[in-house]
Amino acid sequence: MSLTTEQYNEIKRVLDGRRAFAYRDQSRKQEEAEKAIPALSDLNEELMRINREELSARFAKDREAGKKKVSECVKMRRDLLKTKKDLLKEYGFRPDQLEPSFTCRKCGDTGYVENEKCSCFASLEAELINRESGLPGFLPAFGMEKFSSAVYDDSAPMPDLPGRKLTQKAYMEKNVIPWMIRYVEEFDRPGSHNLFLTGPSGTGKTYLTGCVAKSLMDRQNTVIYVSAAELFDMYRKAARGDEPDGTASRLEKAENCDLLIIDDLGTEAISDFSVSRLFSLISRRLSTGSSTIISSNCDLNEISRMYGERISSRIMGGYTVIGFFGTDLRLKKARTKGDRT
């Protein structure tokens, strides 16, 4: 996902600040060492003098004399550095103690290694975009790797589960949770990874997608969460040119992030405009290999009736459909809380 100029500048400000702090800290440690070791100041001045002489020799008109001088400077610097190392050790300083303590040692807090983005830059990029992800306030503190099925009802088989007698907890443990764990594990493989989560309200669809989002954000993937109603409202604002709140920027992020989560599809006001925008968004993300999770209280037959066969066929052909059944977890939690009061 490409950064805006403002986002890029913000990342550069962070990196510049880290680098400036490392050099200020190095200067402070250097002063402390020179106070403890008076000879260190003279050694450092001599090293700087040799570096200047070497630089001058590399551009000397007499190339042979220049090469000889460079060789002498290299030897003198090596000897001085050994003397400095021994001196520091004698006074209880580690050899690397006076070097800059960069946050990222790979790139020296520049953000790049051999003209390629360093992992620290990618981490800041993901952190910045995910900061504006729109994920609900209940985003869990853990991802799928620590997900617990204890919240699900285990008292009796679900009457709405076709063909099988499983409790809600057993069904989630056998079918849904393994799928979501595998989804996270395989997310970085090439191609799009798409899920359509369908089932009654309160069966845990949104919470599970939050756990998936947390796992992927921790791995520096960019995630944008948006309800269907909010998504189409942004499209309408963009179409009218009514976007003082940064609608265009948020739409660009939604269309190009690593994972887009569209929640509660089917609860918004449906129009020809919203149907065309949804079809375009789904098709574009499929064609670019971007990943999407859609959750809905509607099944695919209802999606076909509400949005048309073009959209339902895109979902059937490009998404893994996962059904949710059983107890409304929000009502269960409210009843349990009421019993305790």
Side-chain angles (χ1 to χ4, degrees):
M1 178 174 177
S2 59
L3 292 172
T4 64
T5 301
E6 182 181 351
Q7 289 171 329
Y8 178 82
N9 288 339
E10 182 170 346
I11 290 173
K12 289 301 291 180
R13 282 195 294 273
V14 171
L15 292 171
D16 290 345
R18 289 178 178 178
R19 199 162 56 254
F21 176 83
Y23 285 126
R24 285 197 303 271
D25 187 54
Q26 180 194 27
S27 179
R28 177 187 60 78
K29 290 186 293 187
Q30 184 75 36
E31 289 177 6
E32 290 176 356
E34 288 181 356
K35 286 180 181 178
I37 313 171
L40 193 60
S41 179
D42 292 336
L43 269 173
N44 287 330
E45 288 184 11
E46 184 66 8
L47 280 167
M48 286 189 286
R49 184 189 66 77
I50 289 171
N51 288 338
R52 289 194 297 270
E53 286 189 3
E54 180 185 349
L55 182 62
S56 177
R58 289 185 182 278
F59 293 94
K61 291 182 180 180
D62 186 338
R63 299 189 65 180
E64 287 302 318
K67 285 176 64 177
K68 183 178 179 181
K69 185 62 176 178
V70 167
S71 180
E72 290 174 0
C73 289
V74 169
K75 183 180 183 305
M76 285 190 291
R77 181 168 58 246
R78 184 168 58 243
D79 292 342
L80 281 173
L81 287 173
K82 184 180 184 308
T83 301
K84 181 178 177 179
K85 181 179 178 180
D86 292 341
L87 193 58
L88 288 169
K89 186 177 180 180
E90 180 183 343
Y91 280 81
F93 288 87
R94 297 190 315 275
D96 63 343
Q97 196 165 341
L98 303 186
E99 296 299 317
S101 299
F102 295 116
T103 303
C104 178
R105 294 185 178 182
K106 286 191 294 184
C107 69
D109 291 336
T110 63
Y112 289 86
V113 178
E114 296 181 356
N115 296 322
E116 295 290 335
K117 280 184 184 178
C118 181
S119 59
C120 70
F121 190 106
S123 178
L124 286 169
E125 186 175 2
E127 180 182 329
L128 175 61
I129 295 172
N130 289 332
R131 190 196 310 161
E132 304 166 352
S133 65
L135 284 160
F138 61 77
L139 183 66
F142 52 84
M144 287 306 304
E145 63 279 357
K146 294 184 180 179
F147 187 83
S148 171
S149 61
V151 66
Y152 298 105
D153 184 34
D154 200 32
S155 60
M158 293 182 292
D160 55 343
L161 182 63
R164 283 179 289 178
K165 293 184 178 181
L166 291 173
T167 64
Q168 185 184 38
K169 183 173 183 288
Y171 172 77
M172 296 298 290
E173 288 175 344
K174 289 177 180 292
N175 298 278
V176 179
I177 296 173
W179 255 112
M180 305 302 270
I181 291 173
R182 188 158 62 248
Y183 182 86
V184 170
E185 291 173 347
E186 298 179 353
F187 188 82
D188 290 329
R189 292 184 180 179
S192 60
H193 306 275
N194 306 304
L195 300 176
F196 180 76
L197 311 182
T198 174
S201 177
T203 49
K205 300 185 298 295
T206 301
Y207 188 78
L208 262 175
T209 58
C211 292
V212 169
K214 180 66 170 65
S215 291
L216 295 178
M217 289 164 69
D218 287 346
R219 287 163 43 172
Q220 301 172 12
N221 294 109
T222 55
V223 181
I224 295 291
Y225 169 97
V226 63
S227 69
E230 181 189 359
L231 176 66
F232 298 125
D233 184 56
M234 288 194 296
Y235 274 122
R236 281 189 288 271
K237 285 182 178 179
R240 295 194 304 261
D242 177 20
E243 45 188 6
D245 56 354
T247 296
S249 173
R250 183 151 167 73
L251 270 176
E252 192 273 338
K253 294 170 189 172
E255 291 175 344
N256 297 287
C257 60
D258 296 331
L259 173 63
L260 172 63
I261 300 172
I262 304 174
D263 200 20
D264 278 340
L265 185 68
T267 58
E268 77 288 354
I270 300 171
S271 64
D272 290 343
F273 176 83
S274 61
V275 169
S276 67
R277 289 297 183 274
L278 179 61
F279 178 77
S280 176
L281 178 61
I282 289 175
S283 298
R284 184 186 307 118
R285 290 186 65 81
L286 281 170
S287 66
T288 58
S290 303
S291 300
T292 307
I293 296 178
I294 299 174
S295 71
S296 177
N297 298 342
C298 306
D299 60 27
L300 281 175
N301 288 330
E302 292 172 305
I303 292 294
S304 180
R305 178 175 54 80
M306 297 164 70
Y307 296 95
E309 290 187 5
R310 288 201 310 166
I311 288 176
S312 62
S313 67
R314 283 284 192 279
I315 293 173
M316 285 188 286
Y319 286 62
T320 298
V321 179
I322 299 179
F324 285 67
F325 303 91
T327 303
D328 186 324
L329 301 177
R330 290 189 286 261
L331 291 178
K332 177 187 174 186
K333 184 177 181 180
R335 284 197 296 269
T336 302
K337 185 177 180 181
D339 291 342
R340 293 175 180 171
T341 58

